[in-house]
Amino acid sequence: MKKLLGIALASAAAGLCLSALKKASDEQTVELSPVKRSSPNKKAILVVSFGTSYAQTREKTIGAIEEDFRRAFPDYTVRRAFTSGMIIKKLRQRDGIEIDTVEQALQKLYDEGFGTVICQPTHVMNGFEFDDVRQEVARWEG
């Protein structure tokens, strides 16, 4: 039942993300650095979470979702990004763990030549952090 609920929430978030991307692309165009060679066959899923500084919680929740994506989509590279700057900073200072922001993760994927990237937020509710993710992803569309 928990897995089914998780899949349902992920699907709902994906739908929101896709509709937000469409709306954002209709509203704005942003210039990025010069186009690099990318391959549509080089595919990634960027799992975007608020984040947590608790290692056990991180592995039982975010890590489990990422592992589900790895199993379900073996042809995709799965990457992690957090939206909470506070959590990213705390993990870096306290534990020496580097977690990318959405912008950093998308830049790395672009630099590595990924031509297909699916951004999958794990946020359950729409809010300013989700809106920030939508806006950042829209910058990279196409």
Side-chain angles (χ1 to χ4, degrees):
M1 184 64 159
K2 287 182 185 178
K3 190 170 248 185
L4 182 59
L5 179 59
I7 291 170
L9 289 173
S11 296
L16 289 172
C17 190
L18 290 174
S19 66
L21 283 174
K22 175 67 177 134
K23 183 179 178 189
S25 71
D26 292 345
E27 294 174 358
Q28 67 182 22
T29 301
V30 178
E31 289 296 317
L32 299 174
S33 54
V35 175
K36 296 184 180 188
R37 273 218 157 123
S38 64
S39 168
N41 296 327
K42 196 168 180 182
K43 303 179 282 192
I45 298 173
L46 179 61
V47 180
V48 179
S49 306
F50 177 82
T52 178
S53 63
Y54 297 97
Q56 284 184 327
T57 302
R58 196 168 46 252
E59 288 315 306
K60 288 181 180 180
T61 57
I62 298 166
I65 291 169
E66 292 166 346
E67 189 54 37
D68 284 346
F69 277 112
R70 281 185 191 92
R71 281 195 299 269
F73 301 97
D75 295 343
Y76 284 75
T77 297
V78 177
R79 298 281 177 89
R80 172 182 288 178
F82 285 174
T83 57
S84 173
M86 230 170 43
I87 298 294
I88 291 170
K89 182 179 177 181
K90 184 174 188 172
L91 288 172
R92 183 182 334 108
Q93 290 176 345
R94 185 189 72 192
D95 303 329
I97 297 172
E98 292 291 331
I99 304 288
D100 290 333
T101 63
V102 175
E103 179 181 15
Q104 291 167 332
L106 290 171
Q107 183 66 55
K108 286 179 182 178
L109 290 165
Y110 175 78
D111 290 344
E112 293 171 26
F114 283 87
T116 301
V117 177
I118 297 170
C119 176
Q120 178 59 65
T122 64
H123 298 78
V124 178
M125 294 174 51
N126 192 9
F128 72 90
E129 296 220 3
F130 181 81
D131 291 340
D132 289 347
V133 171
R134 253 188 14 212
Q135 289 174 350
E136 186 59 41
V137 170
R139 292 184 59 230
W140 292 90
E141 189 175 15

